Amino acid sequence: MPDSPGYELPLLLFGGFRTLIDRLHARLATEGHPDMRPAHGFAMQAIGVRGATASEIGRRLGVSKQAAGKTVDRLLALGYAERADDPADARRKLVHLTPRGYDALARSAAGFDELRAEWCATLGTDRVRALEADLRNVVPEETAFRLDATSWLGGA
């Protein structure tokens, strides 16, 4: 069997990513989160459990403070996040996840576990584990879980 052209590898990887994300968001829509978008999940991960300023969120996502602020405003409007004074510096506002935000993240984690299990049922657990191990070998550790996909896909 001849090798596939090199350009197919990133397209197939992106197609796999897109398939997982699209299926997850279809599930989230049926579980009470119909307005949740992939950018929101990235932003909520950037906010984290301790909260973050818009500037910190922007840096973590690889976007401008203004772009991060726009996404944060949407999270606020949807009830996934809230702003509060920083107890260490009253001049700063921290963004924190709300119980609704934590619920969306918990449902996302459960959904990804189920989607992975489907891949294991289709491909075999050993093949999925090997794929994950192979990706860990070729993806530099410092970029494996970076959240700034929007910086090269354009938009926030």
Side-chain angles (χ1 to χ4, degrees):
M1 182 169 122
D3 275 347
S4 297
Y7 69 85
E8 285 188 5
L9 178 60
L11 293 175
L12 287 168
L13 288 169
F14 184 71
F17 171 79
R18 181 70 193 257
T19 299
L20 290 169
I21 296 299
D22 287 349
R23 292 196 53 213
L24 175 75
H25 282 270
R27 175 188 163 140
L28 288 172
T30 68
E31 294 181 353
H33 299 282
D35 296 317
M36 182 85 171
R37 300 291 175 262
H40 301 154
F42 282 112
M44 289 194 299
Q45 292 292 331
I47 291 167
V49 295
R50 293 189 188 105
T53 66
S55 294
E56 291 167 336
I57 296 165
R59 275 193 303 279
R60 292 173 187 167
L61 293 174
V63 300
S64 69
K65 177 183 174 183
Q66 292 78 13
K70 187 175 175 182
T71 301
V72 166
D73 287 344
R74 188 70 183 134
L75 291 175
L76 295 169
L78 294 171
Y80 291 114
E82 60 191 4
R83 279 195 182 102
D85 290 335
D86 183 342
D89 184 349
R91 296 170 295 171
R92 291 177 6 134
K93 294 286 185 191
L94 287 178
V95 178
H96 292 278
L97 297 177
T98 63
R100 179 169 169 75
Y102 284 114
D103 180 69
L105 288 180
R107 290 176 185 275
S108 293
F112 281 130
D113 286 345
E114 287 185 19
L115 290 166
R116 184 184 183 279
E118 288 178 17
W119 280 37
C120 287
T122 300
L123 302 173
T125 300
D126 290 342
R127 287 188 69 192
V128 172
R129 286 179 181 157
L131 173 62
E132 291 166 336
D134 289 343
L135 288 169
R136 284 184 185 99
N137 283 330
V138 297
V139 175
E141 188 176 331
E142 65 274 8
T143 63
F145 296 101
R146 277 183 32 196
L147 300 174
D148 68 348
T150 54
S151 67
W152 49 267
L153 290 175

